[in-house]
Every structure is written in structure tokens, then in C-alpha cells.
Amino acid sequence: MARTIQSLERAAAVLRLLAGGERRLGLSDIASAIGLAKATTHGLLRTLQQEGFVEQDPSSGRYQLGAELLRLGNSYLDVHELRARALVWTDDLARSSGESAYVGVLHQQGVLIVHHVFRPDDSRQVLEVGAMQPLHSTALGKVLAAYDPVAHNEVMESDFAAITELTVTDPAEFERGLERVRARGWASDVGETWDGVASIAAPILDRRRMPVGAVGITGAEERMRSDGALSPRLIAAVRDCARSVSRDLGAGRF
Amino acid sequence: MTDAHDDTSGAPREYIAAIDQGTTSSRCIVFDRDGRVVSVEQKEHEQIFPKPGWVEHDATEIWTNVQEVVAGALAKARISKEQVKAIGITNQRETTLLWDRATGEPVHNAIVWQDTRTDALCRELGRNVGQDRFRRDTGLPLASYFAGPKIRWLLDNVEGLRERAERGEIMFGTMDSWVIWNLTGGTEGGVHVTDVTNASRTLLMSLRTLQWDEKICNSIGVPTALLPEIRSSAEVFGTARGGALDGVPVASALGDQQAALFGQTCFSVGEGKSTYGTGTFLLMNTGPKAINSYAGLVTTVGYRIGDQDPVYALEGSIAVTGALVQWMRDQMGLINSAAEIETLALSVDDNGGAYFVPAFSGLFAPYWRSDARGVISGLTRYVTKAHLARAVLEATAWQTREIVDAMKKDSGMELTTLKVDGGMTSNNLLMQNISDFLDVPVVRPMVSETTCLGAAYAAGLAVGFWNDVEDLRANWRRAAEWTPQMDAAERDREYQFWLKAVKRTMGWLDEES
């Protein structure tokens, strides 16, 4: 057997102890039960407490299992919860950008649209919630591939089909694109999925700064560009929206 | 949020502030000319439960909170009071307050609309006619929600109050009146007014004359000396004195549901809106005609702009909608968050034959059966919690259908589109169900704050910030639309099952003694 890390074994012992029997234990009970010095045990407990795996009752000073353990076992964010949290911010994004807004999550080998806000003009539009988009060509998909390792695996195993003449079909070139996405904090798609259509997207992060989805806008290239490049105002609007939703989900400022 | 300083014209931008004095909190929202939210400030107040069924608010606390949220919203928007062209008011309806004209002190906590202490009084007031005694004149059934009987209870139960009231020392108001009186100076010349929509919820106003009905006031036992002047919903009542908005015109008042109707720009006959929260309120514009309801709805004033003709509305309410989802979460523990009901429901294709009628405290519109209690029917071994989640969402959709059918019956008008707002509009499956069951498109506007927006719109119209309702319509933006996708035969079959399930709730309790 490979070398193991002693302090992790000890921490596991503390958790097992708190998970069984009395459930709320004082420092000396814990120390004697696992056969360690009080100071060492206290160090373990303090670290576990910082990570949220253990909580200390403020009045009795006793320790018990923390809420974080429950979350670990049930950690994915419900997509409908994501939509409810994103609603206000994406309405604002659609209004300020004048384009339609989308929230997408990874689903199987693609992007599942979980929320869609119409472009704020009087044109006839169809709700696209439930539709799937490709990972390798859309702005939403690139954001997911850049930030979520599972999405990255999926896209690298895909066939990089040419959807338009501009779709990136070379995995190495795609990978270099993802590095740019990580460096800038946003992704774009200019005519790579739909001719003449551009989109911009940014990541939504949860309280552990894990990527849970992407938010973006999509519109005609002519409206999305200014002076040849994607409009900085629109990029800022998308990133502001992503930050706002992330903050609502408990992520710190970034 | 939007930066208030990104104007290109150079002139300082102008805004409207709306105060929403609601049941659980007071809010102030600043809107720009496009009807976009610039800033929001909110503060909750205490819910006081002195006895089972009694609910009160401390009106002094509420007024303090209102002043704080107004100052807070202006600060967040980084604008000065000179940039605020008008203040609009919307409020929890029917909540009743009496205060001393000379000192401005409330004589008792406000009695909240949910409070049921006047149940027995309402039965007594119905005499041999019953709860429809004043319906023809006021549009309302004699029920404990409405303000008139609450005033009577206070006069009967606060010592010496009736004498003081008869001497003209006391003022009555719903929360719109309380906020406006205080905003415009209180004891220093505050104006004592209410608007037609709030007055239409007192049981004391004639729907035809839009004035206090002396005969009804007499019958209920309310001296008219107490009552505020009834004004339109959109006109300048006075100017704010002191505080963060000193000198700004106070220019609208609308009950919350009517304000939402206005904010959703339902200005044409047959346009309707439905607000999906804990409960649901559906209002339909019926134009200049007050339509009597024989199908268990309430007739109310929708709004009145200045000296234009009043616009009436039919209103239907559903007691339990979002509350049923909360029940699945809190009492049954089948979901962890309200949003998860959709995830659970989507894990199956249909309701598996199960129907859930949440008649937790009887059946409301259009049945009005207090002897009914909740039922889940159609259960077989096949049914899972996911099917029940479907049934929960379908219950809200079918109840909406029943209200819409009742409106059709009363008014002869067909609802062409349903505009929706409220927290449950984030539930995609529910919105699709409603569209399917009603067989009309369901649309969600881009600004979800329709209640405050309505108050802002009315105030802005009164001071010429917007020219007319067409200006406001032009601001309305569709954020999403759900179109019917259900086969007609299937819809009819499902509706029959629902109606059968409803029948099974009735008569559960024995006749009330």
C-alpha cells in the first residue's frame, strides 16, 4: 500500500467518532477516544471546523458534524434553483444589452438551455428552454469547457464537427482558445454556430467557486460588434450579470 | 444594476420613486423613464399575532421603515430629490388603521387583511340576507378581509374610541392613507385621502358613485367623519414635507393587486394579469362597467386616472398556490427548495392519474365552500412522489382555469392572453401547464416588479412624466412567452378529472354550528 497521510487518517477518525454514538462531544472526550493529545486534537478540530465539516456549539463548547458534510453528499445545484436565482439578473441583462439572454448548463455532451429571456423588441420569439447547443462552438459551451473539467473531457472526446465554415475543428486550436477564455474570463462565438450570429458568455460560480453554468447573450453580429471587435459594453454587461448571479449563489467577489 | 449617471444628454436624468407598503415589508424602488429598476431598498416589519387568527402591524414602525427605505433607495441610486419627479404609493390592501388627528398617534395596531377576528361580526352584519348583503353596491361579499368591519371592531373594542370618532378626533385609513398623510406633513397639514381602488376594498364605497355610501356606513356602524376623501388613483394629492423627498409631489395610490394590473399595462378590456405567490390573484380589466359576479368573484375598481372614467375589474383569488409547494417542502420533506418541485415533476411525463386539490382551508373562488378540505385522488400503486409533484403544479394551473372560466361566465369576455408575474413565474413547467390548461398564451414581462412599477406609472402619468398609457405600453417588454401545446381532447379529459377531484373535497366537515 502506498504511503498514507497521518493527519487525514486522524481527521477521518474524528468524523467517524462524531457520526456515531453521542454525536456531540467535548474536546477531552474526543482526544481520549482517539488516543491523541488535546493540543493535536484541537488542531484537527479547528481545521475541520474551518472547512465546515465540524461545528462547535457556542454555549457548551461541544463538537458535532457540520452542514458541509451534508452538502458534499448532495452537492449539485438544482438547475431550476439556478434559473430562479438568475431570473432578475438575466432580465436586466437582456434589457441593458438589447439582446436575448441564456443560461446554460452541461448536460451529457452538450449545453442544455435552462433559462431564456427574449430580446426586448416586439419581434416574435420562441422560448428555447430545454434546447441543446454544441459545446465546442457556442460561447456558453466554451465557458463550460474552460471552467468545468467534466465539460472539458466531454468536448475533447467529441468529433469537433464543422457546423459553419468558421467552426474551430482542430482540438489543439480549440484548447488554445480555452486558455484565452480562462485568461479573460469570458468566451465568444462569432459565426461559429450560426452564420451572422455572435454570442458572449461568462461563468456562473457557486459558493465554492465551482462552475455551475454559464450565462450569455446572442444576437446579430452587426449589433454585437463595434469597430470590428465585440462591443466592450456588451462584454461588461454579460460579466456583470455572471458576477451578480454568482454572488446570489454565495460566491465571493471575483 | 444600472448606473444612474450614464446619460449622454448632459441634463440630469429624471426618475419616479414608488413606495410599496406590503404585508411583510416596505419597499421603495426608483424607476427611470424606460420603466427600468434603478435601485431597490426594502425593510421587513414585525408580524404581531396576539391570538390565533389575529394579525396586527405596528403602524409607527411601518412609517419609520417607509422613511428609511425611501432615503435608502435614493442613496443607492445616487440621485437627489430634485431628480425625483413624483412619488407613487402601492400598499397591502384592506389593512385597517385608526389614528388621532391631533397627535398622529395610532389608537391601536393596524388590523391586517388576513386577520379573522371579524368573522362573527360579518355573519351578524349579514343578518337574514347573508354575505351578499352589500354585494350589489360594493361588489364585495361580507368577509373578514375587508376594512369596514375591522373599523367597527376597533370602535367597539377600544375604550372611548367611538365617542372620539364621533367628535371628529379620529382618522381612518388603509396603509395608502397612512403613508400619504404622514408624507404630506402629518399633523402639520397632512392630506387625508385614499384612492378608489383602496376605497373599493372597504365594503363602504358605492361602486357606481365612487363615494362613501352613507347607508352602508350606518349599517356597519362606521361614522363618516372618520373617512378620508376618495380621490382617483393618479393625481397629485399633495407634496412631501420634510424627509428625503421634501417637495416632491405625491401623485398616485393603488392597492397592490390593482397596481400590478397597471404595471402589466392591462389597459384594454379583457386584458388580465395573474400574480403567482403564496396565493394567487387574478384581475381582469372589464372597462368602464362594473360587472356583478354570480360566479363567486369580486367586483373592484381597477384604477382611475385623474378625472377620466373609472376602469373596473373582476378579481379572483386562489388561497393556496406557492403555499402548496412550500407544504411539499416543509411538511412533506419531498423537496429541499421550492425550485426543486420542477426537477421532481420533470422526472416523469405526466401526473400518473393523481390529482391534488389543496382546499386546506376550504374552497375559495368560484366555489366558496368552507366545509371542503384537501384531497389527493386517483392514487394507485403506480403513483410516485414525482407524479404528486406534477399534481401540485397542475393544481395551480387548474385553479387558474376555474377563475378564468368564472370571469368568462360573468363578463362574457374572452381572455386572450394571460400576463403573469410573481415568484412562481420562474417555474417553466407551471407556466407551460397554465398555457396548456387555459389554451391561451402566457407571457411574462421583463420587469418582475410590476406592483411598484404600476404605482410609479400612475404617479408619472399624473405629473406628465409620461404622456399617456400608450407611452407605458411602449415600455412593456416580453421576457418569455409560453404557447398552448396540449391536445384539446386531452385537456378536456384532464379537466373532467380535476373537477371530479374538486367534488370529493366538499362536505368533509359537518355543517358549521
Side-chain angles (χ1 to χ4, degrees), chain B residues 265 267-268 461 466-476:
Chain B
T265 66
F267 300 131
S268 299
L461 279 183
W466 289 291
N467 291 319
D468 51 37
V469 295
E470 290 314 313
D471 264 12
L472 305 179
R473 267 191 217 277
N475 273 342
W476 194 89

Side-chain angles (χ1 to χ4, degrees), chain B residues 318-366:
Chain B
I318 310 171
V320 179
T321 51
L324 183 57
V325 176
Q326 290 160 7
W327 182 85
M328 288 285 277
R329 182 193 63 197
D330 302 336
Q331 257 91 333
M332 295 294 105
L334 291 174
I335 45 176
N336 290 314
S337 73
E340 270 182 47
I341 191 85
E342 189 174 356
T343 312
L344 185 55
L346 282 171
S347 65
V348 290
D349 292 329
D350 55 35
N351 61 20
Y355 299 82
F356 195 152
V357 188
F360 288 163
S361 43
L363 282 170
F364 288 63

Side-chain angles (χ1 to χ4, degrees), chain A residues 74 76 78 80-81 83-84 87 89 91-92 94-96 115-124 127 129, chain B residues 1-2 34-36 336-337 339-340 342-343 346 426-428 444-447 475 477-482:
Chain A
N74 184 20
Y76 87 109
D78 186 279
H80 300 105
E81 184 72 34
R83 182 197 298 138
L87 198 76
W89 306 110
D91 275 7
D92 205 49
R95 267 199 104 127
S96 66
H115 183 48
H116 171 201
V117 184
F118 289 171
R119 187 171 63 248
D121 55 28
D122 289 330
S123 65
R124 215 69 210 160
L127 204 62
V129 172
Chain B
M1 279 283 131
T2 320
D34 297 330
R36 288 179 58 181
N336 290 314
S337 73
E340 270 182 47
E342 189 174 356
T343 312
L346 282 171
S426 72
N427 191 313
N428 207 57
R444 179 175 81 78
M446 214 159 261
V447 172
N475 273 342
R477 293 279 178 277
R478 186 186 290 116
E481 175 167 355
W482 293 266

Side-chain angles (χ1 to χ4, degrees), chain B residues 404-415:
Chain B
V404 169
D405 282 358
M407 287 185 172
K408 204 180 297 177
K409 208 154 134 197
D410 279 333
S411 68
M413 293 167 197
E414 291 275 351
L415 186 81

Side-chain angles (χ1 to χ4, degrees), chain B residues 172-220:
Chain B
F172 152 75
T174 36
M175 298 320 282
D176 54 317
S177 304
W178 172 242
V179 170
I180 294 171
W181 187 75
N182 279 296
L183 265 177
T184 54
T187 53
E188 308 289 318
V191 292
H192 188 211
V193 296
T194 187
D195 94 298
V196 280
T197 67
N198 277 296
S200 78
R201 316 294 295 188
T202 56
L203 268 170
L204 304 175
M205 186 188 81
S206 156
L207 272 182
R208 275 70 192 179
T209 65
L210 302 181
Q211 293 302 323
W212 303 119
D213 185 314
E214 297 225 11
K215 245 174 58 196
I216 295 176
C217 289
N218 256 325
S219 307
I220 295 185

